[in-house]
Amino acid sequence: MPSDDTLAHQKALENVDFDFIRGPQATQLLIRRVIELEKAEGPLGVDTETTGLDPLANRVRLIQIATCDYALIVDVEAWRTEGNRQLPWHAPGLKQLKALLEGRKRKVLQNAACDLNFLKGEGVLLGGYLVATMIA
């Protein structure tokens, strides 16, 4: 059964705005949206989708960052050069994304242990106050 808070926010949750950044061709949109997320009130939800379950052998494919009414989905795989495991975090757009992830904003993660390990393997150390919601 949904909580009273969830039911109270159900209308907002039905029409969440989102952007799916499919690669470097959308760099300017990515930068604008990261700036908006930096300014947003409240915590950020952070999630990753990966190519497997082992952060030593697999890599991050997508990074999602969300507020209660907006979600940014970034296909980071599109920035990778062939044969290169490490993402080019110095590239425009990714640089700002990394700064947001490592910044001081509060972040909420469902499977924090997995996401933190994969992001660390990609060269990102999440900053800010972290909240893990998974109940073991």
Side-chain angles (χ1 to χ4, degrees), residues 14-88:
E14 289 173 357
N15 296 307
V16 174
D17 185 21
F18 72 95
D19 287 298
F20 188 167
I21 306 296
R22 298 178 190 275
Q25 68 276 12
T27 294
Q28 292 307 312
L29 177 59
L30 174 57
I31 292 170
R32 280 197 314 273
R33 296 304 194 207
V34 166
I35 290 169
E36 291 170 9
L37 287 167
E38 287 173 344
K39 295 177 181 177
E41 294 291 323
L44 299 175
V46 176
D47 189 30
T48 62
E49 303 303 329
T50 64
T51 59
L53 299 175
D54 182 356
L56 298 175
N58 304 116
R59 58 192 183 278
V60 173
R61 175 87 169 110
L62 300 173
I63 296 175
Q64 296 94 216
I65 305 174
T67 63
C68 66
D69 60 357
Y70 174 74
L72 176 65
I73 305 160
V74 184
D75 181 357
V76 295
E77 189 71 14
W79 270 268
R80 250 183 254 284
T81 57
E82 191 168 331
N84 194 353
R85 174 174 164 64
Q86 194 67 33
L87 284 165

